[in-house]
């Protein structure tokens, strides 16, 4: 399964980013899911992708509180360790010195 990760604040090469993500996953951080008005989610710092369209009410997923806070429709775990290992598969520039990181998790990460 392919996942888009948070806009990554870590500077460094792909192996460093992968290590930071896997360390956070293994910490078994709690996952909190809330449905909020889009403007409230943005005010709370949820990542909103440029060029994407959203409904007036959005699903906000937080992992470990402020460690990751995104608008998301597909995370279905209670704690980060349920995700399993993570392996980066791609990255791209999104402007402003930020990168979009893509990864696979679970059994796909071993492949």
């Amino acid at each position: 399964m392919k996942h888009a990760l948070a806009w990554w604040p870590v500077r460094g090469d792909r192996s460093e980013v992968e290590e930071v993500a896997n360390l956070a996953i293994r910490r078994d951080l709690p996952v909190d899911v809330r449905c909020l008005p889009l403007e409230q989610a943005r005010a709370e710092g949820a990542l909103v992708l440029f060029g994407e369209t959203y409904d007036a009410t959005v699903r906000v997923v937080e992992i470990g509180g402020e460690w990751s806070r995104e608008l998301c429709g597909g995370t279905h775990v209670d704690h980060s360790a349920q995700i399993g290992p993570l392996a980066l598969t791609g990255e791209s520039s999104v402007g402003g010195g930020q990168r979009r990181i893509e990864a696979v998790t679970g059994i796909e990460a071993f492949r």
Side-chain angles (χ1 to χ4, degrees), residues 32-55:
D32 181 50
V33 178
R34 299 177 294 148
C35 290
L36 300 172
L38 177 59
E39 290 310 312
Q40 181 180 347
R42 293 178 84 166
E44 291 184 14
L47 296 174
V48 177
L49 303 178
F50 179 76
E52 295 287 324
T53 56
Y54 299 97
D55 292 333

Side-chain angles (χ1 to χ4, degrees), residues 6-83:
W7 304 102
W8 214 262
V10 176
R11 304 285 184 249
D13 66 20
R14 288 174 61 132
S15 64
E16 289 176 277
V17 172
E18 199 169 72
E19 181 179 358
V20 168
N22 277 299
L23 287 171
I25 289 168
R26 286 194 298 271
R27 286 179 51 206
D28 202 24
L29 300 168
V31 175
D32 181 50
V33 178
R34 299 177 294 148
C35 290
L36 300 172
L38 177 59
E39 290 310 312
Q40 181 180 347
R42 293 178 84 166
E44 291 184 14
L47 296 174
V48 177
L49 303 178
F50 179 76
E52 295 287 324
T53 56
Y54 299 97
D55 292 333
T57 300
V58 293
R59 186 171 180 266
V60 178
V61 177
E62 290 182 348
I63 300 175
E66 293 186 13
W67 199 91
S68 175
R69 180 181 294 134
E70 301 182 58
L71 303 184
C72 180
T75 302
H76 302 285
V77 298
D78 295 318
H79 293 272
S80 62
Q82 293 172 317
I83 295 169

